[in-house]
Amino acid sequence: MNPTDEQQAAADAFHTGDHLALQAGAGTGKTTTLAQLAHATTRRGRYLAYNRAIVQDARTRFPSTVSCKTAHALAYAAVGHRYTQRLNAPRRPAWQTGHALGITKALRIGERDLSQKTLSNAALRSVARFCHTADPTITGRHVPRLRGLEDRALHAQLAAHIVPFARKAWGDLQHPDDGVVRFDHDHYLKIWALTSPKIDTDFLLLDEAQDTNPVVEQIFLDQRGHAQLVMVGDSAQAIYHWRGAKDVMTGFDGTQLVLSQSFRFGPRLADEANRWLAIAGAPIRLTGTESVPTELGPFTRPDAVLCRTNVGAMAQVMDLLTAGHRVALVGGGDSLRGLALAARDLKEGRRTTHPELVLFPSWGDLQDYAAYDPAGRDLQSLVDLVDTHGTDAILSAVAQLAPENQAEVTVSTAHKAKGREWARVKIADDFTPPKDTDQLDATGNTIPGPIDDGEARLAYVAITRARHRLDTSGLSWIENHPDVPEPPTPRAKDGPT
């Protein structure tokens, strides 16, 4: 296939040897473009991605002169293989590990009682968060913020108690043969990163750069002195900040180019995507492909329903099952099952070890927190789901889930739908609008608050999963928001449906 003008511009910049950041919108063929660059040179290259499935796909596209690996695979070859014995160790409860590290007593901070189990979990989560950063040592910023201890002073008390145990755990992980902390793949990646490794290559390609962990970013940027760096991704799809990912593209020191021609969908969907891109302040706008038929509007038989939250996905699953459909859930139902079991424990008067609910002594305490504490707003949908359906019904629904290849409808969160596409997509109604302000407009109506950039990026990801039909009912509130650009002039149909 002949390259587009944008792909040709990327090829020209690549051949000059300049460092390159390529902003590639949804469906614009970023991997195809990288493969074109690699096939047009005899230099040795490496392709780097976080996800193994993406790497396996890349291996079918790139020439033999380009080695396609995950960052973990490079780290394993360098240092990880020394820890094979520990990687195969059996799982053990966090409280046992914490006890071995010296966490033997409960702790009270403010009005919350923290059990030995909770403290042990916090210490091990601190190590995990540290491993996703470029930081040289564990500090209080790596200690997770627990529900009910969001106040800065309370978190500082927690961090002062947890950091010494987290550092002791990290020291334990340095021993290749034996230790009390269960060794996993992120541990040897961080150990490797701390050695300031040099990757032997002429050019280094980084895919999905907008969701790169700082630890991988550091490794990638450290190769600048001897290798040409090429990163590709979509800053508007940077939706994993909550787990430590970082968009490294917009501030990258190199030639900045774009791929804006989407081959996945037609102009009408591109226009809708551009409204959300404008809200997010994204550096790219999309053009749809005229020959691809894409219609916007309600329809009854979606291939996929995309949701904002896991709880919203569970509600969709239950509705679809009740209607008699075979339903799949992307990623499976383990996380939802865990929330339901935790809710059941609280409702039956038992404390739970679930990290989201661990500090609540009862279901009533959680209900009050969700209803009245601003920090608990995101838990209200869980409370509503459990109070409406009960935990047994939720667990029953999870047990009825079908594999995707046997399902009539696939339900997914927008996060898990990233990188996927379906012919017909419906947006669920849990993409809620921002809260109203205290101000009134000229007609006396309440003015809604600003749309969060992260929420706009997530909406953009969700709507660009569709190829032929898109039902945006769950985002219809955008039409009445003052910050939203006017919709484009209606087009004639892109083609038959």
Side-chain angles (χ1 to χ4, degrees):
M1 187 175 67
N2 293 328
T4 65
D5 290 344
E6 291 175 332
Q7 289 173 329
Q8 187 59 55
D12 293 342
F14 177 70
H15 292 309
T16 66
D18 291 345
H19 300 305
L20 175 62
L22 191 58
Q23 287 280 357
T28 57
K30 61 183 178 64
T31 305
T32 298
T33 302
L34 289 181
Q36 289 173 348
L37 303 184
H39 279 285
T41 182
T42 58
R43 293 183 296 156
R44 296 177 306 111
R46 288 183 181 265
Y47 169 94
L48 196 62
Y50 188 83
N51 185 287
R52 185 185 301 174
I54 295 174
V55 167
Q56 290 173 340
D57 176 67
R59 286 174 180 158
T60 67
R61 301 173 181 237
F62 283 85
S64 59
T65 51
V66 176
S67 172
C68 302
K69 301 274 189 181
T70 64
H72 285 89
L74 292 179
Y76 184 84
V79 301
H81 64 278
R82 303 172 193 163
Y83 296 85
T84 301
Q85 183 173 333
R86 291 194 66 173
L87 278 168
N88 295 328
R91 294 184 179 275
R92 63 188 305 191
W95 69 266
Q96 289 184 1
T97 302
H99 192 277
L101 292 170
I103 304 175
T104 58
K105 297 179 181 179
L107 179 69
R108 185 173 181 84
I109 296 180
E111 298 181 356
R112 299 288 181 178
D113 291 315
L114 283 70
S115 68
Q116 186 263 348
K117 290 183 179 180
T118 298
L119 296 171
S120 299
N121 277 321
L124 296 179
R125 287 173 64 194
S126 300
V127 174
R129 288 161 62 96
F130 164 68
C131 287
H132 293 157
T133 72
D135 300 335
T137 58
I138 296 175
T139 66
R141 84 181 197 92
H142 303 116
V143 177
R145 295 189 176 273
L146 301 182
R147 297 276 188 184
L149 296 180
E150 292 90 350
D151 179 81
R152 182 178 298 180
L154 296 178
H155 181 263
Q157 291 182 51
L158 174 66
H161 185 79
I162 293 296
V163 166
F165 293 112
R167 289 178 175 172
K168 186 175 181 180
W170 181 243
D172 175 272
L173 290 165
Q174 308 308 301
H175 303 293
D177 298 323
D178 192 25
V180 300
V181 181
R182 189 172 190 272
F183 196 95
D184 69 30
H185 298 279
D186 282 348
H187 295 145
Y188 65 71
L189 176 62
K190 180 63 175 178
I191 291 171
W192 181 55
L194 289 173
T195 68
S196 300
K198 178 180 178 180
I199 300 174
D200 183 22
T201 189
D202 296 323
F203 62 89
L204 184 60
L205 310 174
L206 178 65
D207 205 349
E208 297 290 345
Q210 80 283 346
D211 283 326
T212 300
N213 282 336
V215 65
V216 177
E217 175 198 9
Q218 178 192 37
I219 294 167
F220 177 77
L221 295 179
D222 282 351
Q223 314 309 312
R224 176 182 286 269
H226 67 276
Q228 181 186 12
L229 303 184
V230 178
M231 59 170 60
V232 63
D234 184 355
S235 291
Q237 294 191 53
I239 59 174
Y240 287 107
H241 293 290
W242 53 274
R243 73 177 189 192
K246 177 183 176 184
D247 174 19
V248 303
M249 298 196 66
T250 50
F252 181 65
D253 182 13
T255 301
Q256 300 271 344
L257 295 174
V258 301
L259 296 178
S260 63
Q261 173 70 56
S262 180
F263 303 102
R264 179 179 298 158
F265 42 75
R268 293 185 69 191
L269 201 155
D271 289 341
E272 184 67 18
N274 287 337
R275 300 174 72 189
W276 291 102
L277 289 170
I279 297 168
I284 193 171
R285 299 292 183 271
L286 295 180
T287 301
T289 297
E290 294 283 352
S291 60
V292 177
T294 309
E295 287 297 309
L296 273 64
F299 56 94
T300 57
R301 295 292 299 273
D303 299 310
V305 180
L306 303 187
C307 308
R308 171 65 181 84
T309 64
N310 281 320
V311 174
M314 189 70 253
Q316 290 292 326
V317 165
M318 296 179 74
D319 288 346
L320 289 163
L321 287 172
T322 300
H325 295 289
R326 293 191 306 277
V327 185
L329 181 65
V330 173
D334 287 349
S335 62
L336 293 167
R337 184 175 181 274
L339 279 170
L341 291 172
R344 187 168 70 182
D345 283 343
L346 292 176
K347 287 176 73 70
E348 294 178 354
R350 297 187 299 272
R351 305 241 4 186
T352 176
T353 58
H354 192 287
E356 280 293 290
L357 310 180
V358 68
L359 292 185
F360 299 104
S362 69
W363 183 250
D365 194 53
L366 173 58
Q367 287 175 313
D368 290 343
Y369 178 80
Y372 303 116
D373 193 316
R377 183 186 177 196
D378 61 319
L379 288 176
Q380 187 62 57
S381 56
L382 171 64
V383 171
D384 291 342
L385 184 72
V386 172
D387 285 344
T388 300
H389 298 282
T391 56
D392 289 345
I394 297 171
L395 293 169
S396 175
V398 170
Q400 296 177 60
L401 291 170
E404 281 194 59
N405 61 0
Q406 299 175 20
E408 297 172 299
V409 185
T410 296
V411 176
S412 177
T413 63
H415 284 97
K416 290 185 176 126
K418 192 168 173 292
R420 304 282 298 273
E421 60 181 62
W422 293 270
R424 299 169 299 178
V425 171
K426 179 178 180 179
I427 307 299
D429 58 7
D430 64 337
F431 286 83
T432 54
K435 295 181 70 174
D436 289 339
T437 66
D438 296 330
Q439 300 177 337
L440 302 178
D441 62 19
T443 62
N445 294 319
T446 304
I447 298 176
I451 300 173
D452 179 75
D453 289 354
E455 295 300 313
R457 289 194 296 270
L458 197 61
Y460 162 71
V461 169
I463 68 172
T464 54
R465 301 309 95 196
R467 296 194 303 270
H468 301 311
R469 295 295 301 269
L470 175 66
D471 182 348
T472 59
S473 300
L475 291 165
S476 59
W477 52 264
I478 187 181
E479 306 298 340
N480 300 315
H481 197 284
D483 293 348
V484 177
E486 288 293 324
T489 303
R491 298 172 179 265
K493 287 187 177 182
D494 294 332
T497 61

